[in-house]
Amino acid sequence: MMRFSAEDLLSALLEAAPRPTVQAPRDARGLYGLVDHHGDLRYIGSTRSTDQTFYERIHQRHRTGSEGMSHYFSAMYNTGRMWRDRKDALTKADGDIAKALRNEFVVDHCRAVWLPLPDTEDIARLEAEVLSLAPNHAVAWNRRRMQAYDEPVDLVEATLRRLGWGAREKAAIERQRLRFMSAMVRPAAAPAPKPASMRQANVTPFPEGPFRFFALDVETANNDRGSICQIGVACVRPDNSIETWVTYVDPQVDRWVFTYLHGISARMVQGAPTFAEVLPVLRDALNSATVYQHSGFDRSAVAAACGNCGLPVPQWDWRDSVHVARAAWPELRGNGGHGLASLKQHLGLVFEHHDAGEDARAAAEVVLRAEGVQPVRMQPSVPTSQIVIVDDEDFDLIEDDHNTVMVVHEPAAASMPSDPNPRQHAGRHIGTTEIKQGNINHSHIYLRGFFEKFPADAIGGSNRASAAQREIAVDWGGAAVVMTDLDGEKKFFRKRGWIREFFERHGVRAGDMVTVEEVAPYSYRVALQRRFS
């Protein structure tokens, strides 16, 4: 008789490639997981009843069931224009339209994984054992341990475009959004968030606009990019004057590594708001705006901090002021580079390096100074989904802290790159691996040839139950950086849901190569190197 171990089942769930809920089997039972619109596994459950299939449980119950019950897609996306109060008979017509939108949103943007098991197995017992081993992030929805998401506005808009709804339906869901906002401010409606709301008063008010663009910088407590302890935003007005907004952030960590660099300590952030309390202020202020960062660190830090507290990553229009500086002052290639420390000396900027507010203002000034040299060439948003490594590409960002990277090489004659989509910044190449058909079929990337170059404390055992205590950040060109540890036995990234999309985006074929670069401690970038025949 086949025996199933909870460790192997959990590992299989965590490593399974997410699929649309409508594809859930109609003739099988077992364990399953629900995957949110970020691609993260958030709930683990089972089909305990002998007459309930994966399809009925996942695609019908969780997706279309009542939001007040144990139907987790319905509950977690009962928000914004998808919100309804099923007990309010007066708003039933509007609420039913909002629910229909929610159902279609889940079809478009959420996924699930499943593991069929024989009916002879004690599925309820296996579920309990798996849940006892599961990491917190994978069961964040179980027993309502996570609040419903903010409305993913851009994704909802995409679903509405597909549906082609008219004015009547759009008016109904807008009324539901307003009712949702009203319900959220009534104390009786949501007692749980009250402590956070009380702390919200600690967040420094954001300046009133209008603004042309923003520049954002963060400082972190340690090598975990999500350990943000200070955020600075430089707000550039139409007359090019700059107003700077700064706040300390309590990262709620015990390990402080970079106090020597920026001077911020655990004592200094006592009583400061958490990242989860600061993010709503930034989300509102920077919505639909251009946000510059100096190198790719700040965007990935915001994404990592969102992942740490289970919040959706804001979809800001990120740009990189390093690209702007390279175009404006090519003479710095091989002569100090385009990091802020070099630009400070070259341009005569006055600021205190390693203070988030000061560095943000400096990045904004770099853009303004460059506008005086030549028009700022508008780069596409920072996500780098179309990157292909070019062997003779040169990079020169030089800095002296944990946020930046060192020079790779410099050609004899520095010429401006003609590629309109240059990489964000350079990294230290640590290895290249060939993609086999088996890698494509099973959505994994072997790192065997250079596995020893990864940090030892980010390498775990053969299944998720023996995962490493430390995770690395992997920038693969998607909307969010992936946080994962490494499987020390199989020698690949443990979290693999993103790899299938990476392969599909690039049309990866057997024989193509994938390069891995270290862009900062515990932070890596993977990119395709096309096979040329």
Side-chain angles (χ1 to χ4, degrees):
M1 178 179 176
M2 183 180 296
R3 296 182 60 86
F4 295 92
S5 74
E7 291 84 358
D8 289 342
L9 291 173
L10 175 59
S11 182
L13 281 172
L14 291 165
E15 296 175 3
R19 299 167 66 183
T21 61
V22 71
Q23 295 180 11
R26 299 170 184 251
D27 58 355
R29 300 171 54 240
L31 301 180
Y32 65 86
L34 304 183
V35 178
D36 69 7
H37 63 291
H38 299 298
D40 294 322
L41 179 65
R42 292 300 189 188
Y43 176 87
I44 294 175
S46 73
T47 54
R48 298 186 181 188
S49 173
T50 56
D51 59 354
Q52 189 175 70
T53 66
F54 283 125
Y55 181 86
E56 181 182 359
R57 186 65 187 155
I58 297 171
H59 188 68
Q60 294 183 330
R61 297 294 182 87
H62 280 299
R63 183 179 70 92
T64 67
S66 295
E67 55 277 353
M69 310 296 285
S70 58
H71 305 138
Y72 282 90
F73 279 137
S74 294
M76 298 310 299
Y77 293 100
N78 191 37
T79 182
R81 288 172 288 180
M82 300 182 287
W83 180 82
R84 74 161 186 168
D85 180 352
R86 65 188 178 89
K87 297 180 181 180
D88 187 351
L90 296 178
T91 61
K92 183 180 187 304
D94 288 351
D96 287 348
I97 294 173
K99 181 182 176 182
L101 173 61
R102 185 200 313 150
N103 294 347
E104 293 303 311
F105 172 90
V106 173
V107 167
D108 288 348
H109 305 296
C110 298
R111 295 291 183 264
V113 295
W114 46 83
L115 296 177
L117 295 172
D119 287 342
T120 53
E121 286 294 322
D122 186 347
I123 295 177
R125 176 184 60 80
L126 289 173
E127 176 192 13
E129 292 177 357
V130 167
L131 289 174
S132 69
L133 297 173
N136 290 335
H137 69 82
V139 290
W141 292 359
N142 290 67
R143 299 180 182 176
R144 304 295 175 90
R145 286 182 285 186
M146 183 174 166
Q147 295 181 7
Y149 292 102
D150 292 337
E151 180 187 329
V153 175
D154 292 343
L155 298 182
V156 171
E157 290 292 339
T159 294
L160 286 172
R161 287 193 294 271
R162 176 178 67 80
L163 294 173
W165 279 1
R168 182 182 69 87
E169 292 87 354
K170 290 182 178 179
I173 60 176
E174 177 59 20
R175 288 192 293 268
Q176 286 303 103
R177 185 188 70 83
L178 295 175
R179 289 168 181 147
F180 168 73
M181 298 300 294
S182 176
M184 290 303 99
V185 300
R186 290 201 303 263
K194 286 177 67 176
S197 298
M198 292 172 61
R199 288 191 52 148
Q200 187 74 23
N202 293 332
V203 181
T204 303
F206 204 85
E208 294 290 335
F211 299 109
R212 286 179 55 208
F213 64 85
F214 300 93
L216 182 147
D217 187 87
V218 304
E219 300 293 337
T220 62
N222 56 50
N223 287 314
D224 175 5
R225 291 193 172 201
S227 65
I228 294 175
C229 60
Q230 188 186 38
I231 302 175
V233 180
C235 313
V236 180
R237 296 190 181 278
D239 64 358
N240 292 342
S241 63
I242 301 175
E243 185 167 354
T244 304
W245 177 90
V246 186
T247 183
Y248 285 129
V249 180
D250 183 355
Q252 299 182 310
V253 297
D254 295 325
R255 187 166 175 263
W256 287 75
V257 175
F258 297 122
T259 299
Y260 78 93
L261 192 68
H262 46 54
I264 304 170
S265 64
R267 181 183 59 80
M268 292 177 64
V269 301
Q270 285 182 358
T274 64
F275 179 81
E277 292 164 346
V278 171
L279 185 61
V281 174
L282 291 177
R283 192 188 300 277
D284 290 344
L286 307 184
N287 184 39
S288 301
T290 296
V291 182
Y292 281 95
Q293 59 180 339
H294 203 76
S295 85
F297 179 82
D298 305 285
R299 168 182 169 266
S300 64
V302 169
C306 288
N308 287 351
C309 52
L311 294 173
V313 180
Q315 300 302 305
W316 298 327
D317 181 18
W318 285 101
R319 307 293 172 89
D320 194 337
S321 53
V322 173
H323 294 315
V324 175
R326 286 179 181 149
W329 301 287
E331 65 272 19
L332 291 180
R333 290 174 177 268
N335 185 29
H338 293 87
L340 285 180
S342 174
L343 290 169
K344 178 179 182 179
Q345 180 177 358
H346 184 73
L347 301 177
L349 303 177
V350 179
F351 67 97
E352 293 296 325
H353 202 12
H354 304 308
D355 174 277
E358 293 278 291
D359 285 349
R361 182 166 57 82
E365 288 188 4
V366 167
V367 176
L368 291 174
R369 295 283 188 95
E371 288 178 336
V373 175
Q374 61 182 58
V376 175
R377 183 177 60 182
M378 296 304 291
Q379 301 288 338
S381 297
V382 166
T384 53
S385 59
Q386 299 180 355
I387 290 169
V388 177
I389 300 299
V390 180
D391 289 340
D392 61 354
E393 215 166 38
D394 66 293
F395 297 92
D396 58 301
L397 179 65
I398 298 177
E399 276 293 346
D400 57 356
D401 61 53
H402 61 293
N403 289 7
T404 53
V405 294
M406 302 305 292
V407 65
V408 177
H409 58 81
E410 189 77 27
S415 59
M416 294 300 294
S418 59
D419 182 3
N421 295 310
R423 288 188 296 180
Q424 298 172 39
H425 54 79
R428 181 177 67 90
H429 178 267
I430 66 168
T432 301
T433 182
E434 181 178 356
I435 300 300
K436 308 289 189 181
Q437 190 59 46
N439 298 124
I440 298 173
N441 294 343
H442 300 290
S443 300
H444 52 55
I445 299 172
Y446 283 124
L447 311 170
R448 293 167 177 165
F450 46 92
F451 199 70
E452 73 283 353
K453 296 183 180 179
F454 289 98
D457 57 349
I459 299 174
S462 61
N463 56 60
R464 188 62 186 177
S466 56
Q469 293 297 312
R470 187 65 184 273
E471 291 185 327
I472 61 173
V474 181
D475 183 353
W476 58 281
V481 173
V482 172
M483 302 301 296
T484 181
D485 72 320
L486 299 151
D487 186 319
E489 180 175 311
K490 303 180 184 71
K491 293 183 170 53
F492 55 43
F493 300 113
R494 190 183 306 281
K495 190 171 183 180
R496 293 157 42 204
W498 59 275
I499 296 177
R500 180 179 181 183
E501 184 176 350
F502 175 80
F503 286 163
E504 290 176 350
R505 283 190 180 196
H506 295 287
V508 174
R509 299 166 295 178
D512 286 343
M513 311 295 286
V514 166
T515 63
V516 181
E517 296 177 318
E518 183 182 35
V519 296
Y522 294 88
S523 298
Y524 298 84
R525 178 171 57 228
V526 298
L528 175 67
Q529 187 174 34
R530 180 70 68 193
R531 175 191 63 185
F532 295 100
S533 55

